[in-house]
């Protein structure tokens, strides 16, 4: 298997390769696929540059769409496959480090522009071909005129054998002759056509200049004209044609007849309309798609003064469960029914519903009073989802979370509005779902910051932005420093030093906690080795290092192997390491989860049960856990900061200490901030403590200095 592309050019080449493989089978070309790929590469580069440009211009998409036609990709399937390819891979391979939501919005606009450029180029190509036909027909016109004056037999041969429809009328509009091609176009006999006057063939879609040009021709003011015109057939269907009408003069140069040449363009027009529809509508539900929605949203945001907009961003709650349990076909039928219900909710002027993708829908309302109408629209949507939906004989309950953004036009871009709505929707989902929330700028800012931190996490580790501070662990009996807890910090380029609570949950959510935790473990163990080497361990004794483990690390299969390799590589004994695991992570833990901890404990690594007392676990479970240390949560000892302490808290701590010691477990207390607190805990029999009373977390040298002070008295 080949490696993933590394540089931008490699990624661009990969995108062009995927594109060429998708489109080549439906392209009429004599080139080989590699040759065809080389032709697509500049177009891929054009789209990539437009996607990442500082000032976005979708015109590049129109250029790329037109270039497809020039490359003989005129089959509608070629456009469909191209749009699918751009939608799936352009941002992935060419988006760089940009904002993914903004890039997806740009990609959607590029797809729309490509479809428009493709359709326009296909039309121009067709018109050019038609013009060539028209020129040939005009040349034939001379032959026809000459034949009229020369021989009826020769004229008939040209007239009847022509592949395009030909009709001859006098200057009053009376049809004199029609050929077989024209009769077939209209589905009429020659007599049926001849009873019609040209002036009767009016259609509502006639261009404004149609009959002005006709009047100028029959009056002799112009020799010919060319335009697109529709005609009604007898069955009520519409015939679309490219029509060329020319004036025939007699031998003296006086106007005598009008000659009409018609090419049937009905199927081509329907194809162009279908291409436009497919480019702007969702194939599954028939709703407007992301591209069409962004067009309408941008138009609404660009409305004049006094105009407002309201947007509802809907995501179905638990839709993945439907797909996973009943299958994607059932999920699709559910989405179709939801789309129909949503469409029925947005029927007023200025309202529309669109599907962005997956189970995400948007509803837009515009006008001067959207502060009221958007709330009403959201309420209608929630009510529309109340009734169960029947799928494959099952009654499915559908719920949704809605984020609402409302405001005056002209203040925000479409991407900013959609991002705010998306953030607000997830806030509604986090609050339990089946509800709608209004956008809050402060909540948006916090979410954007979290998103920025999440995206910066992977590279932060590579750039060395993390560092570790150490908080001493002090023996309550003699006051000596016995070790330290390693606490990771993030020196962010913009936000400064971030504490673990700002980024550890994000790292756990993204899975980065595993490599980050491995880095913290290795750095901490190396630091323990440096402390031992600096003072020899003779006067001070070994300093133990405590390292926190997240629940994700507990389930990672490489935990034991990584720990063993780090200890062996640094030359540190296992009993110098203590791994801290939160009580909540071990509540209800089965043997598979406990097995890695047992293996580490058997090697000599201490396991500490952190935040003990906060998880409401069964105390009897302590006997089956491979722990050797209980870290008592600070909530139990806060009342001991003052004298006298709460007697109830004293009894609770005394009981926990007694229980722990009876199970041969040491007790460490967190959050010690006063001397009175430290003394009370010593009397109660706690073994070690940490907190600001002894020292705040700091650099490793500070711990060494504290240890030396304790050793020398």
């Amino acid at each position: 298997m080949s490696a993933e592309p590394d540089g931008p050019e490699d990624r661009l080449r990969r995108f062009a390769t995927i594109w060429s493989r998708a489109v080549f089978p439906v392209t009429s070309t004599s080139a080989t696929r590699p040759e065809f790929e080389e032709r697509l590469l500049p177009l891929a580069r054009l789209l990539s540059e437009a996607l990442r440009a500082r000032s976005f211009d979708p015109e590049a998409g129109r250029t790329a769409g037109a270039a497809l036609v020039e490359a003989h990709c005129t089959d509608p399937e070629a456009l469909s496959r191209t749009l699918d390819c751009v939608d799936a891979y352009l941002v992935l391979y060419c988006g760089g480090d940009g904002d993914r939501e903004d890039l997806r919005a740009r990609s959607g606009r590029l797809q729309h522009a490509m479809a428009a450029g493709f359709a326009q180029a296909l039309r121009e190509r067709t018109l050019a071909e038609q013009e060539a036909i028209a020129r040939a027909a005009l040349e034939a016109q001379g032959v026809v005129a000459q034949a009229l004056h020369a021989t009826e037999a020769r004229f008939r041969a040209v007239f009847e054998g022509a592949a395009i429809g030909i009709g001859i009328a006098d200057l009053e509009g009376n049809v004199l002759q029609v050929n077989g091609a024209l009769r077939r176009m209209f589905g009429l006999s020659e007599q049926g056509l001849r009873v019609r006057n040209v002036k009767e063939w009016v259609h509502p879609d006639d261009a404004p200049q149609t009959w002005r040009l006709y009047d100028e021709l029959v009056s002799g003011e112009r020799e010919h004209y060319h335009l697109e015109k529709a005609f009604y057939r007898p069955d009520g269907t519409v015939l679309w044609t490219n029509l060329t009408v020319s004036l025939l003069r007699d031998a003296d140069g006086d106007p005598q007849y009008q000659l009409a040449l018609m090419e049937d363009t009905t199927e081509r027009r329907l194809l162009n309309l279908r291409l436009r529809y497919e480019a702007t509508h969702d194939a599954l539900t028939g709703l407007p798609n992301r591209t069409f929605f962004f067009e309408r949203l941008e138009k609404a945001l660009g409305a004049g003064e006094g105009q407002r907009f309201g947007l509802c961003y809907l995501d179905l709650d638990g839709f993945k469960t439907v797909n996973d349990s009943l299958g994607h076909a059932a999920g699709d039928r559910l989405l179709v029914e939801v789309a129909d219900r949503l469409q029925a909710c947005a029927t007023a002027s200025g309202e529309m519903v669109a599907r962005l993708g997956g189970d995400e829908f948007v509803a837009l309302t515009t006008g001067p009073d959207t502060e009221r109408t958007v709330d009403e629209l959201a309420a209608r949507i929630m009510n529309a989802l109340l009734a169960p939906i029947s799928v494959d004989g099952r009654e499915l309950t559908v719920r949704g979370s809605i984020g609402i953004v409302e405001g005056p036009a002209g203040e925000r871009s479409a991407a900013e509005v959609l991002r705010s709505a998306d953030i607000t929707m997830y806030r509604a989902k986090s609050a339990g779902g089946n509800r709608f929330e209004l956008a809050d700028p402060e909540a948006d800012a916090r979410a954007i910051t979290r998103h920025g931190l999440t995206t910066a996490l992977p590279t932060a580790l590579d750039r060395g932005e993390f560092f570790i501070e150490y908080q001493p662990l002090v023996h309550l009996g003699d006051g000596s420093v016995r070790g330290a807890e390693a606490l990771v910090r993030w020196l962010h380029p913009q936000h400064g030093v971030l504490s673990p609570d700002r980024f550890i949950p994000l790292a756990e959510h993204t899975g980065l906690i595993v490599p980050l935790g491995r880095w913290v473990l290795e750095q901490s163990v190396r630091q323990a080795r440096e402390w031992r080497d600096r003072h020899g361990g003779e006067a001070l004794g070994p300093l133990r290092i405590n390292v926190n483990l997240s629940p994700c690390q507990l389930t990672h299969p490489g935990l034991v192997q990584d720990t063993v390799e780090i200890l062996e590589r640094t030359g540190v004994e296992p009993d110098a390491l203590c791994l801290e695991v939160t009580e909540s992570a071990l509540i209800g833990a089965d043997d598979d989860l406990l097995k890695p901890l047992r293996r580490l404990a058997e090697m000599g690594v201490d396991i500490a049960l952190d935040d003990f007392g906060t998880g409401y676990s069964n105390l009897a479970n302590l006997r089956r856990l491979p722990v050797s240390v209980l870290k008592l949560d600070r909530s139990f000892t806060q009342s001991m900061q003052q004298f006298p302490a709460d007697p109830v808290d004293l009894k609770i701590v005394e009981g926990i200490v007694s229980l722990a010691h009876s199970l041969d477990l040491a007790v460490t207390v967190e959050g010690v901030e006063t001397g009175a607190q430290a003394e009370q805990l010593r009397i109660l029999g706690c073994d070690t403590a940490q907190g600001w009373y002894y020292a705040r977390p700091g650099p490793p040298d500070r711990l060494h200095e504290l240890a030396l002070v304790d050793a020398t008295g």
Side-chain angles (χ1 to χ4, degrees), residues 259-394:
L259 173 68
L261 305 175
M262 295 184 191
E263 180 192 10
D264 186 350
T265 62
T266 306
E267 290 188 5
R268 187 179 301 121
R269 180 180 178 84
L270 291 176
L271 170 62
N272 288 336
L273 290 175
R274 184 167 68 86
L275 288 175
R276 165 65 182 171
Y277 182 88
E278 289 180 352
T280 56
H281 286 75
D282 175 52
L284 176 65
T285 64
L287 292 177
N289 62 10
R290 177 184 290 267
T291 300
F292 195 172
F293 169 73
F294 264 90
E295 288 181 1
R296 286 287 299 273
L297 180 58
E298 288 176 343
K299 182 178 179 180
L301 296 176
E305 185 177 352
Q307 294 299 304
R308 303 179 70 86
F309 75 94
L311 186 148
C312 298
Y313 193 119
L314 167 70
D315 184 273
L316 300 182
D317 297 334
F319 177 72
K320 184 177 183 298
T321 304
V322 176
N323 272 344
D324 292 345
S325 59
L326 302 182
H328 287 276
D332 286 347
R333 288 192 287 275
L334 177 66
L335 290 175
V336 171
E337 175 63 26
V338 169
D340 290 343
R341 295 188 183 187
L342 296 182
Q343 187 71 66
C345 293
T347 56
S349 175
E351 294 181 345
M352 75 167 291
V353 172
R355 182 189 179 204
L356 296 186
D359 61 331
E360 295 179 339
F361 299 85
V362 284
L364 178 67
T365 179
T366 57
D369 190 25
T370 55
E371 291 174 285
R372 174 183 57 83
T373 58
V374 72
D375 287 342
E376 295 174 352
L377 179 58
R380 289 200 300 272
I381 292 174
M382 297 299 291
N383 288 332
L385 297 178
L386 288 177
I389 295 177
S390 178
V391 176
D392 293 340
R394 295 179 173 87

Side-chain angles (χ1 to χ4, degrees), residues 577-633:
L577 173 64
C578 178
L579 298 177
E580 297 189 8
V581 184
T582 60
E583 180 186 18
S584 58
L586 296 184
I587 292 178
D590 55 21
D591 288 339
D592 288 338
L593 182 63
L594 296 177
K595 187 179 298 182
L597 293 180
R598 287 198 177 101
R599 289 182 58 190
L600 291 170
E602 290 167 359
M603 291 166 41
V605 175
D606 282 329
I607 308 297
L609 195 61
D610 197 9
D611 297 332
F612 181 77
T614 62
Y616 306 104
S617 63
N618 187 341
L619 294 179
N621 284 336
L622 285 175
R623 298 187 61 182
R624 58 184 289 268
L625 298 179
V627 299
S628 54
V629 179
L630 291 187
K631 288 197 73 174
L632 195 60
D633 186 72

Side-chain angles (χ1 to χ4, degrees), residues 117 154 192 205 287 307 563 599 632 673 686 710:
R154 291 175 59 192
D205 291 331
L287 292 177
Q307 294 299 304
T563 304
R599 289 182 58 190
L632 195 60
E673 298 183 7
C686 297
D710 291 336

Side-chain angles (χ1 to χ4, degrees), residues 61-237:
R62 183 179 290 271
T63 302
L68 283 177
V69 176
E70 295 178 9
H72 306 291
C73 301
T74 55
D75 191 305
E77 183 65 20
L79 176 61
S80 178
R81 294 187 181 192
T82 290
L83 296 179
D84 289 344
C85 182
V86 171
D87 185 63
Y89 298 104
L90 180 61
V91 173
L92 177 64
Y93 285 103
C94 303
D97 297 328
D99 182 281
R100 308 316 281 184
E101 183 60 38
D102 184 54
L103 291 173
R104 291 293 302 168
R106 288 188 171 195
S107 174
R109 294 182 62 187
L110 284 173
Q111 293 170 52
H112 171 62
M114 288 184 73
F118 181 91
Q120 179 66 23
L122 188 60
R123 172 179 169 78
E124 291 175 354
R125 179 181 178 136
T126 302
L127 290 177
E129 293 172 352
Q130 294 165 357
E131 191 64 31
I133 294 173
R135 286 197 301 270
L138 287 174
E139 293 173 3
Q141 169 193 329
V143 177
V144 172
Q146 186 177 6
L148 284 171
H149 293 293
T151 169
E152 181 68 18
R154 291 175 59 192
F155 163 73
R156 278 294 168 188
V158 174
F159 188 74
E160 287 297 336
I164 60 175
I166 303 176
I168 299 175
D170 60 23
L171 299 182
E172 284 71 40
N174 301 307
V175 178
L176 303 177
Q177 289 181 307
V178 293
N179 72 347
L182 191 63
R183 294 195 297 271
R184 289 189 293 273
M185 285 183 195
F186 280 89
L188 286 170
S189 65
E190 181 170 356
Q191 184 60 31
L193 284 169
R194 291 181 63 178
V195 298
R196 300 283 300 276
N197 190 283
V198 172
K199 295 179 182 178
E200 298 175 11
W201 286 333
V202 177
H203 191 276
D205 291 331
D206 284 343
Q209 72 274 23
T210 299
W211 296 104
R212 176 179 57 80
L213 295 174
Y214 175 82
D215 291 338
E216 292 176 357
L217 181 129
V218 296
S219 65
E221 298 177 29
R222 74 169 44 245
E223 295 300 314
H224 60 82
Y225 65 87
H226 176 86
L227 46 74
E228 187 177 33
K229 178 162 171 40
F231 297 89
Y232 282 119
R233 293 189 179 102
D235 61 1
T237 60

Side-chain angles (χ1 to χ4, degrees), residues 34 214 246 265 283 439 454 494 511 531 535 546 606 610 619 640-641 697:
Y214 175 82
S246 301
T265 62
T454 301
Q494 283 80 42
W531 286 329
H535 57 66
N546 285 29
D606 282 329
D610 197 9
L619 294 179
M640 299 181 192
Q641 294 179 9

